[in-house]
Amino acid sequence: MFDPVKFIEEQTRLIKEKIGDRIAVIAVSGGVDSTVCAILTYKAVGERLVTVFIDDGLMREGEGEQVISFFKQQNMKARLVDARDEFFASLKGITDPEEKRKAFRNTFYSVLGRTVREENATCLVQGTIAADVAETIRGIKTQHNVLEQIGIDPEGYGLTIIEPLREIYKHQVREVARSLLLPKEVSGRKPFPGPGLATRVLGEVTRERVEIVRKATKVVEEETEDIGAFQVMAVLLNDRATGVREDKRAYGHIIVVRMVRSEDAMTAEAMDVPWETLKKIERRLTTEIPEVVHVLYSLTDKPPATIEFQ
Ligand code: XMP
């Protein structure tokens, strides 16, 4: 049986031992994994932890500000790094999903590496969980935060990597979050991929296309707060459909809505959602985002699909 209290005690002690009197940086996203890691590390080394939110332009609406203000409320050092231009420049012209993940990861570590140096830190704390490692080993996807994939040994750069959650799964991370008395918005927060909305924009990731998915995501999330999904999402397809607006032909975007139930993200089941809910989402998407003329619902479980589209 997993014991969150014991886990917290043990990890706090281990983190303290590993960091010693050095400075540590953690890139936080607002998700339960990185938040739990940040709080554990803060318990271990206090002011010697700098939490950083890297604004990659791929997060949901208002996410950066919310995350920074949460950590400031805990009296922790929190810094927002605006790297939007760098991310969009690195993703320009790329359509292959794995290439996009790699471009994202390279930019992520280039920005993070610079931030680590600016803070004079020699420790990097990461919220990698067991599922991230398992999927990487199985070669399914390039996870942005699994360092082994970069092919460089961070220790060779004098950087100590600390991954307190590497052995545990999402539901256990949530138990730890509740045990740390983190608010429900954190302990119950739905997973969101590291590369953010980039995994939900098929084809080229541009500011304009991300903006469509950002608006669609907000609608889908608002309409599904109470359905108990593991994850809900809106995905922009890399094709268009003929539609009709005010009696004229409109060649517009296609959005796929996906909602899944899952325990640990290793397998997932497409949800049986009431038709009224789906129709309400569809109506909001096609009225609030005029560029969208067609909405689809994803029926496929994982496997054979994955939770994200790419
Ligand atoms: P897939 O799409 O592989 O997703 O079935 C499994 C879970 O992982 C999330 N995901 C990621 N999380 N970095 C992350 O931190 C990533 O690169 C990444 N890709 C997918 C996904 O949202 C789901 O919860």
Side-chain angles (χ1 to χ4, degrees):
M1 228 355 224
F2 177 69
D3 179 350
V5 175
K6 207 165 138 221
F7 180 86
I8 294 167
E9 270 171 30
E10 248 171 53
Q11 287 304 324
T12 314
R13 182 179 54 76
L14 280 172
I15 296 169
K16 198 171 181 166
E17 230 172 76
K18 283 187 190 156
I19 298 180
D21 54 10
R22 297 184 287 167
I23 294 171
V25 161
I26 181 166
V28 288
S29 63
V32 63
D33 306 342
S34 59
T35 306
V36 163
C37 277
I39 301 288
L40 287 175
T41 310
Y42 181 64
K43 276 170 86 75
V45 301
E47 289 277 288
R48 272 177 291 111
L49 172 71
V50 184
T51 54
V52 181
F53 181 90
I54 297 179
D55 186 357
D56 50 22
L58 302 165
M59 302 305 275
R60 287 165 293 186
E61 208 172 284
E63 219 156 16
E65 297 73 22
Q66 284 162 20
V67 173
I68 292 289
S69 85
F70 171 80
F71 286 107
K72 289 207 163 142
Q73 275 164 25
Q74 319 294 313
N75 295 318
M76 293 165 65
K77 276 192 196 157
R79 180 178 157 195
L80 190 129
V81 177
D82 181 0
R84 288 174 294 181
D85 291 345
E86 266 170 278
F87 277 92
F88 283 111
S90 75
L91 289 163
K92 197 171 166 21
I94 305 179
T95 53
D96 177 79
E98 276 295 290
E99 291 306 314
K100 275 192 236 176
R101 282 177 169 267
K102 283 177 189 152
F104 176 88
R105 187 190 59 192
N106 293 344
T107 311
F108 182 83
Y109 279 104
S110 139
V111 174
L112 185 56
R114 196 168 67 222
T115 311
V116 165
R117 288 190 295 277
E118 284 166 7
E119 296 292 340
N120 291 318
T122 50
C123 300
L124 182 63
V125 184
Q126 298 218 113
T128 319
I129 63 169
D132 299 342
V133 179
E135 301 267 278
T136 298
I137 292 167
R138 287 159 64 208
I140 293 176
K141 277 180 197 176
T142 301
Q143 296 276 323
H144 82 288
N145 55 352
V146 179
L147 278 163
E148 288 91 320
Q149 285 183 338
I150 303 177
I152 53 165
D153 171 19
E155 309 279 338
Y157 288 80
L159 200 57
T160 305
I161 306 292
I162 298 160
E163 295 181 314
L165 311 180
R166 219 182 143 90
E167 308 280 316
I168 65 174
Y169 283 91
K170 201 64 138 196
H171 59 284
Q172 297 166 321
V173 180
R174 294 196 199 285
E175 280 186 55
V176 175
R178 285 191 290 270
S179 205
L180 286 167
L181 303 178
L182 293 179
K184 234 173 63 206
E185 300 85 70
V186 173
S187 63
R189 198 171 172 100
K190 292 185 172 59
F192 187 66
L197 299 174
T199 62
R200 300 175 184 174
V201 172
L202 307 199
E204 191 181 6
V205 181
T206 62
R207 283 174 195 269
E208 296 69 33
R209 304 190 75 222
V210 168
E211 198 43 45
I212 292 172
V213 174
R214 185 176 286 125
K215 285 186 196 154
T217 302
K218 189 161 181 259
V219 170
V220 177
E221 288 186 347
E222 281 173 3
E223 297 299 335
T224 56
E225 269 166 20
D226 308 323
I227 68 167
F230 179 79
Q231 238 171 322
V232 299
M233 66 188 72
V235 179
L236 177 66
L237 294 190
N238 190 24
D239 207 344
R240 290 186 177 232
T242 300
V244 51
R245 291 244 183 237
E246 290 162 6
D247 268 349
K248 286 203 191 73
R249 177 181 188 275
Y251 195 47
H253 288 297
I254 310 167
I255 291 280
V256 178
V257 175
R258 181 154 170 77
M259 301 174 204
V260 297
R261 241 188 271 285
S262 176
E263 261 293 306
D264 56 10
M266 302 294 283
T267 59
E269 193 187 322
M271 282 181 79
D272 178 358
V273 186
W275 183 249
E276 301 80 69
T277 309
L278 293 173
K279 273 309 273 181
K280 180 145 186 237
I281 291 171
E282 181 271 333
R283 254 179 265 122
R284 283 194 60 190
L285 290 175
T286 51
T287 37
E288 293 174 28
I289 318 172
E291 302 98 310
V292 174
V293 296
H294 214 124
V295 177
L296 313 175
Y297 187 64
S298 164
L299 301 176
T300 311
D301 298 341
K302 172 183 183 177
T306 52
I307 294 179
E308 303 291 340
F309 263 54
Q310 50 183 16

